[in-house]
Amino acid sequence: MILTSFEYKEFGWELNDLAPLKPVNLFVGRNATGKTRSIRAIQDVTSFLQMGQSAHSFETVMKFSSKEDKTWSMEYSFKVNVFKIEKESLIVNGEQLIKRSKTTARYKDVKLSPPPEKLIVQIRRDRNLYPDIERLIQWAEGVTMVTCSDINCALGHSLNPYSFCDLVDSLSEVEKKKVLSQAKKLGYNISDIKTIDAARNCQFVQVKERFVPHLITDMDLSNGMYRTLYLLCFLSFIKQETNLSLLLIDDLGEGLDYSRSVDFGKMIFDDCKEYGLQLIASSNDAFLMDVVDIANWQVLNRKNGKVTAINSENNPDLFRKFRMTGLSNFDFFSSDFIDSYLNEQKK
């Protein structure tokens, strides 16, 4: 199943009805409009569903559809306040399966007494008895995120789930050949990549460039090459997961030059489409914006603490008129075209 709508609210900040989300999506917007925060909100919610982190206070509404069954739908929402669940609802095909308030909780017609700090979907795990709950949790377990601006050898990977060494070590010979082939298409003529043990509990990635006599360690790679190789290995690694559902990429294209940003962006979007993996990426990279169809854009706008999205579904006339101008995609974002259109609509 794929996420088609997402809402999120916490103290002082809210994301209103981010919909419809498509199989591939690019979040764009001016600085401080909420691109990174929106992507991390999705990550935080799914991590909480997996009981991977605690949550103080927030509420969310998520809607899903099925690629296989166009008639199927799911809506799941909950509210947590000071570590206690105040509301929870699960509706599948119009039927409310979970209904919970501060004082009562039910699954269908069965009265429940869940722990106040736990969601019903977290404690009712049974593939046969609760198949829809299992489907939701398996989707959450298949969400993974990478932050491109945090891929830096000197800074480490505090926000990313895997180290560069772990990713390289995970590659089979077939996968390694594919990574090297993809790197070559992006202008990095590399003949080998591997890990070496430099000292006790200390590993490095070592790269061999064709026609360069000496080997290069990861610390000596340029930021652009380091980020590209990390992401290529990361994408190869996560495809080994059988229940992969959603890939979140923040700051896609960060630190890459024109040709590599364009080619790498196209590679990732095309790869996710071919693999059937839903993608939500954010970027302000002008080069990348020009190669991603604006039909897959979510243009985020922020007014005080409220973030809303403009897309080709909720503003079809805006997108149709822009296509007729013949301007580049980046002009759609950087010019006053959107603001002028919206102000005209208000008159």
Side-chain angles (χ1 to χ4, degrees), residues 4-62:
T4 56
S5 177
F6 182 76
E7 296 182 26
Y8 182 88
K9 183 185 295 185
E10 61 184 14
F11 180 75
W13 188 82
E14 62 182 89
L15 177 62
N16 290 330
D17 196 17
L18 181 60
L21 292 169
K22 298 182 178 182
V24 293
N25 307 267
L26 182 66
F27 287 4
V28 303
R30 292 182 173 85
N31 291 337
T33 55
K35 299 183 299 298
T36 293
R37 198 166 182 177
S38 297
I39 282 185
R40 288 188 180 161
I42 299 173
Q43 171 69 5
D44 289 345
V45 168
T46 55
S47 181
F48 181 70
L49 283 173
Q50 300 173 60
M51 296 188 285
Q53 67 178 46
S54 60
H56 185 264
S57 301
F58 72 86
E59 59 182 301
T60 186
V61 181
M62 297 180 288

Side-chain angles (χ1 to χ4, degrees), residues 130-147:
Y130 311 106
D132 294 299
I133 289 178
E134 193 65 19
R135 190 171 184 177
L136 174 65
I137 296 298
Q138 285 186 350
W139 172 84
E141 290 173 345
V143 177
T144 188
M145 176 178 171
V146 63
T147 302

Side-chain angles (χ1 to χ4, degrees), residues 29 34 75 82 94 160 164 175 202 228 239 260 272 282 288 306 324 338 340 344:
E75 179 179 317
V82 195
N160 289 321
F164 195 13
E175 291 162 345
C202 184
T228 300
K239 287 179 183 177
R260 291 191 176 107
C272 287
S282 74
L288 180 62
K306 295 183 179 181
M324 295 173 62
I338 296 175
S340 297
E344 184 67 27

Side-chain angles (χ1 to χ4, degrees), residues 175 177-188 228 232-233 235-236 239 267 271:
E175 291 162 345
K177 287 181 180 179
K178 184 175 181 180
V179 166
L180 296 177
S181 175
Q182 290 173 322
K184 186 175 181 180
K185 291 177 181 177
L186 295 171
Y188 298 115
T228 300
L232 291 176
C233 293
L235 291 170
S236 180
K239 287 179 183 177
M267 184 181 291
D271 202 35

Side-chain angles (χ1 to χ4, degrees), residues 228-256:
T228 300
L229 293 176
Y230 180 96
L231 281 170
L232 291 176
C233 293
F234 176 80
L235 291 170
S236 180
F237 174 77
I238 64 173
K239 287 179 183 177
Q240 301 171 31
E241 300 293 325
T242 56
N243 68 330
L244 193 62
S245 59
L246 172 62
L247 173 60
L248 303 168
I249 303 180
D250 191 29
D251 283 332
L252 181 58
E254 179 73 17
L256 300 182

